[in-house]
Amino acid sequence: MLAGTKLPSIRQMAQDYQISKHTVESAYSQLFAEGYIESYPQSGYFVSKDIENYLPLKKTLQHVSPPTTTNFLYNFYPVQLHNDNFPNKLWSRLHNKVMKDMINFGSYPQKQGEYSFRVQISKYLSHNRGVQCNPDQIIICSGFADAMFIIATILKSSTSQLGIEFPGYSVVKQVFKNLNYSIENISINKDGISLEHIEKSKSKLLYVTPSHQYPTGVTIPISNRFKLIQWATKNNAYIIEDDYDSELSYNNRPIPSLQELVITIVLFTQVHFQNLFLLH
């Protein structure tokens, strides 16, 4: 409200908000005592005329300059696609249909995410990435950091050290450090994460981006992927596979995920390996 604005009467305020007159009287009395409003006999209550001169908000806003925008010819920001690359109209239509027909806002959501959504993700992973999993093995998270936090919490009782690509994605390191993990930087070479360094490592937990290493863009060759799986099997270690940018393949099929290779090994050698988390 602007300075000098007349407030509704106590009776009117009580009627409008369906509260007692005593409640309104108490509120008005407190505002009057603190100097936010003024009272004039037979006229009512008004917003204090000079209170705005003492509030820092007004003076601050007067000096705020509008944000400047710069048009760039090329945008190299690594986590943003051009708007034309996303089917906005189709998404909006399907979103509205789901919101209308399937979502029940009167109940708590399923803790792993909507089951029908997880079914579709399971089908997509099977068809596009060769990942064999059922909907009960999928957890919908509110973002990458949330997924990392869940995994770090689950594995805290099994290990306290994380081996991570270096250079690598800093968010991963920060989440695990917040949960008191010790961090071991694993160097990157022309074939991705250094297998020689991993063999010397004491870490039983490894974070890796085999399809598209961030930020170098290196892809781990198939032979090294098998060696990674062998290392994890031999050491009873865990691998967190970040499937970063795997779907952005223009000239050929996406590179097989580590989980798909694990299934291949199981089919041909009957080796059992379950210590693999896939982030997509």
Side-chain angles (χ1 to χ4, degrees), residues 40-183:
Y40 296 97
Q42 299 181 347
S43 296
Y45 292 96
F46 296 81
V47 177
S48 178
K49 294 180 180 179
D50 62 347
I51 188 65
E52 63 180 10
N53 295 326
Y54 298 95
L55 294 177
L57 180 61
K58 179 180 179 182
K59 295 181 179 180
T60 301
L61 291 177
Q62 289 177 344
H63 298 287
V64 173
S65 302
T68 57
T69 58
T70 304
N71 294 322
F72 295 99
L73 184 60
Y74 299 103
N75 184 356
F76 293 100
Y77 189 54
V79 291
Q80 179 179 339
L81 296 176
H82 193 277
N83 289 336
D84 294 343
N85 291 355
F86 190 82
N88 288 296
K89 291 183 179 179
L90 177 61
W91 174 269
S92 297
R93 180 166 57 82
L94 296 176
H95 175 270
N96 292 336
K97 184 179 186 303
V98 171
M99 296 291 284
K100 178 181 178 181
D101 300 338
M102 299 180 62
I103 303 299
N104 182 2
F105 289 103
S107 64
Y108 284 104
Q110 299 174 25
K111 61 183 179 181
Q112 289 182 223
E114 291 294 327
Y115 184 78
S116 58
F117 184 32
R118 286 185 277 132
V119 168
Q120 296 305 316
I121 291 178
S122 176
K123 292 178 180 178
Y124 168 82
L125 291 175
S126 176
H127 182 269
N128 289 67
R129 303 296 292 121
V131 172
Q132 301 302 311
C133 65
N134 61 60
D136 291 333
Q137 295 173 300
I138 296 174
I139 299 176
I140 309 300
C141 302
S142 59
F144 181 84
D146 184 39
M148 285 290 98
F149 177 82
I150 292 174
I151 293 174
T153 303
I154 292 174
L155 296 178
K156 186 63 177 176
S157 60
S158 301
T159 181
S160 60
Q161 181 168 316
L162 171 70
I164 185 173
E165 301 167 327
F166 184 79
Y169 194 29
S170 60
V171 173
V172 181
K173 181 181 296 186
Q174 189 59 53
V175 170
F176 278 83
K177 285 180 67 176
N178 288 344
L179 290 174
N180 297 318
Y181 278 78
S182 60
I183 307 297

Side-chain angles (χ1 to χ4, degrees), residues 206-226:
L206 179 67
Y207 168 85
V208 63
T209 52
S211 296
H212 184 179
Q213 202 278 328
Y214 180 84
T216 65
V218 175
T219 298
I220 299 179
I222 188 68
S223 59
N224 284 12
R225 289 167 179 251
F226 280 116

